Amino acid sequence: MVNFSKRFPGKPVYFTFANYLIIVQRLFRIYTDSFKGLSTESWMLSIVMLLNRAGSMVLPFLGVYMVDHLKFSLADSGMVLSFFGIGSVVGSWLGGYITDRIGEFKVQSFSLFASVPMFCLLPLFHTPASLAVMVLIQSITSEVFRPANSVAIAKYARPENITRAFSLNRMAVNLGFSIGPALGGLLSAISYNFLFFSNAAAALVAGFAYIYFFRKRHARFIAQKETVVVQDVKPAKERSPYRDMRFVAFCLLCSVFSICFFQLLNTLPLFYKDAVKLDQGMIGILLGYSGIVVVLFEMLLVHIAERRWTITHTMVIGTILCAISYSILGFSHHMLWLFVSITFLSLGEILILPFMSTITAARAGKFNKGSYMGMNGISVAIAFIISPLLGSKIASIYGFERLWIGTGILLLIASIGFYFSVKKLFPHSKA
């Protein structure tokens, strides 16, 4: 029994074991409630995503692989990584376009199986130019998956649970991402080739699992769609996301945020290796820890945010947390602060990325969700072009400290932009 009467004047305040037990039970109830009401299909999509992302070892270590194993310069490494971004832009646009025409089932199936040979071929190319071309092709192949997957989540989720359905999917991504880099750090210490072949194997398993789970469900959904009444027939013309100026402004802010955030996947591992002098194993542990934080707290935080905050406030808070995270790195390289920084970055990620998808799905029409998801995917994918080039350039000229402080300032500006942009997207609702 703990007496808090000295800290709180008046009547004595006692915390007994029973009080602690009640608090734990309430927290556990809130946590379990955050998973309730999700459709079976939402869970299945997340399982497939987990299988796929458990092999996500290549991208976080691609910069380290090029500098450490292939002996590329920092500038050449940034150039190759930017081609991943170009492929992401093309893949996001193409994925959204063809998803609206042939459906998300065929697009996701193609992407998963076609990624397998691409990953296997990557270690055969050893020059910046040839590797850049292969990274471009692999990126296009992999990234057509994203808008199709987002459409599938929106299609199978119950309307009142759409944000949590996106969160569940992202939780699976991050659980896989916590496994992948941690394992990747260990495998790369033996041979970098294991990174590529493990990614290929994971994509293959995910492809078979997806076909097995959704083949019959997709056919049943198509059969039901063919029986809809006349008023549900696709209209002659529906608003293009590229002419929706408010959504375009929102996507520009998403690009700014993503350019800053995705330093996590390129410049941050180089910072850990070159400035902090960490080995691959420790880098993998830090990146894996980020995924664990997201897995443990995503559903809980999203559930709380939906109940207590507006979507505008959620976006602002998440962006500010990311700003604090990067700013910390500009002042200290101590291991404790590295973990504090990655924790803030993970919590900010939780509050931004699922709601970014929810805003996009809510803004889209009934028959052009693929195009809207594709455009938002493009806004994020642009970061894969700019982020490695800009991050590595600033780090090489001005140093990592100025890079991180500048990133923090840019994120604070983005948080102000989100405040006004999201309100304008939904002027007649509590945004």
Side-chain angles (χ1 to χ4, degrees):
M1 182 182 300
V2 182
N3 187 350
F4 287 97
S5 57
K6 292 182 180 179
R7 189 170 296 180
F8 301 101
K11 294 182 179 179
V13 179
Y14 292 98
F15 268 65
T16 64
F17 177 77
N19 296 134
Y20 287 119
L21 188 60
I22 291 171
I23 293 172
V24 170
Q25 287 175 336
R26 287 178 179 174
L27 288 173
F28 182 74
R29 189 181 304 115
I30 294 172
Y31 190 82
T32 54
D33 285 347
S34 67
F35 289 91
K36 290 181 179 178
L38 294 168
S39 66
T40 303
E41 290 81 7
S42 295
W43 282 100
M44 289 181 174
L45 281 168
S46 298
I47 291 171
V48 171
M49 185 62 78
L50 172 61
L51 293 172
N52 186 26
R53 295 304 176 182
S56 296
M57 307 174 192
V58 171
L59 185 56
F61 284 94
L62 191 56
V64 177
Y65 163 74
M66 289 185 288
V67 172
D68 184 50
H69 183 69
L70 299 181
K71 307 302 179 184
F72 289 2
S73 67
L74 200 61
D76 284 340
S77 174
M79 182 273 293
V80 174
L81 288 172
S82 71
F83 272 79
F84 181 89
I86 295 171
S88 297
V89 171
V90 175
S92 295
W93 171 80
L94 185 62
Y97 180 82
I98 61 178
T99 295
D100 283 339
R101 283 152 182 80
I102 67 174
E104 85 290 340
F105 179 79
K106 292 180 181 178
V107 176
Q108 289 186 90
S109 300
F110 164 79
S111 177
L112 290 169
F113 285 116
S115 295
V116 176
M118 293 296 103
F119 282 121
C120 292
L121 289 172
L122 278 174
L124 301 179
F125 296 84
H126 301 143
T127 65
S130 63
L131 187 59
V133 172
M134 283 304 302
V135 166
L136 174 67
I137 298 171
Q138 189 278 327
S139 178
I140 294 173
T141 304
S142 296
E143 291 303 307
V144 296
F145 179 87
R146 287 184 180 272
N149 181 256
S150 296
V151 169
I153 294 168
K155 181 175 86 171
Y156 289 115
R158 299 184 178 97
E160 68 275 12
N161 295 328
I162 187 168
T163 302
R164 288 193 291 125
F166 279 113
S167 295
L168 181 68
N169 195 265
R170 273 186 24 81
M171 188 180 77
V173 170
N174 282 279
L175 180 57
F177 191 72
S178 67
I179 297 170
L183 184 58
L186 298 175
L187 293 177
S188 65
I190 303 171
S191 172
Y192 280 105
N193 288 339
F194 284 125
L195 297 178
F196 301 102
F197 296 140
S198 297
N199 236 116
L204 184 64
V205 173
F208 281 120
Y210 178 74
I211 294 291
Y212 176 80
F213 282 141
F214 284 96
R215 180 169 49 87
K216 292 183 179 179
R217 285 173 173 79
H218 174 71
R220 189 160 56 245
F221 185 86
I222 293 297
Q224 291 172 353
K225 189 176 180 180
E226 291 174 349
T227 63
V228 297
V229 293
V230 176
Q231 59 263 32
D232 284 335
V233 174
K234 183 178 180 178
K237 190 175 182 180
E238 203 166 29
R239 177 176 56 182
S240 166
Y242 302 96
R243 296 180 181 177
D244 184 350
M245 290 300 105
R246 291 182 176 180
F247 185 69
V248 169
F250 171 73
C251 285
L252 288 174
L253 287 168
C254 291
S255 288
V256 173
F257 171 82
S258 300
I259 288 167
C260 298
F261 174 75
F262 285 118
Q263 300 289 334
L264 168 71
L265 298 179
N266 40 72
T267 316
L268 191 60
L270 291 174
F271 164 74
Y272 288 151
K273 184 170 183 63
D274 293 343
V276 189
K277 306 301 181 184
L278 300 181
D279 59 25
Q280 290 100 310
M282 196 64 221
I283 295 172
I285 289 172
L286 270 169
L287 296 176
Y289 167 78
S290 171
I292 291 171
V293 170
V294 174
V295 169
L296 291 178
F297 295 106
E298 172 138 7
M299 294 298 290
L300 177 62
L301 279 182
V302 167
H303 185 57
I304 292 172
E306 283 185 316
R307 295 174 61 185
R308 298 183 179 273
W309 301 332
T310 65
I311 197 167
T312 302
H313 291 151
T314 302
M315 296 290 287
V316 170
I317 293 169
T319 309
I320 290 174
L321 284 174
C322 292
I324 295 171
S325 166
Y326 281 118
S327 298
I328 288 172
L329 299 177
F331 296 98
S332 176
H333 297 177
H334 191 277
M335 186 60 66
L336 173 63
W337 288 110
L338 294 182
F339 276 98
V340 171
S341 170
I342 202 73
T343 300
F344 279 5
L345 189 64
S346 303
L347 296 177
E349 172 190 353
I350 289 171
L351 296 176
I352 291 290
L353 297 185
F355 285 96
M356 193 185 293
S357 299
T358 301
I359 290 169
T360 303
R363 186 69 177 179
K366 186 173 183 180
F367 297 100
N368 64 353
K369 287 191 185 298
S371 297
Y372 266 82
M373 290 296 183
M375 182 176 173
N376 188 252
I378 289 171
S379 72
V380 174
I382 286 172
F384 287 113
I385 304 174
I386 300 175
S387 184
L389 287 174
L390 188 62
S392 59
K393 192 72 172 178
I394 293 174
S396 61
I397 297 175
Y398 300 105
F400 282 106
E401 285 76 12
R402 291 185 181 180
L403 169 65
W404 302 135
I405 293 172
T407 300
I409 293 171
L410 189 57
L411 282 167
L412 287 176
I413 295 171
S415 70
I416 297 171
F418 276 133
Y419 178 81
F420 293 103
S421 176
V422 177
K423 280 183 173 294
K424 287 183 178 179
L425 279 174
F426 306 106
H428 304 298
S429 63
K430 281 189 174 183

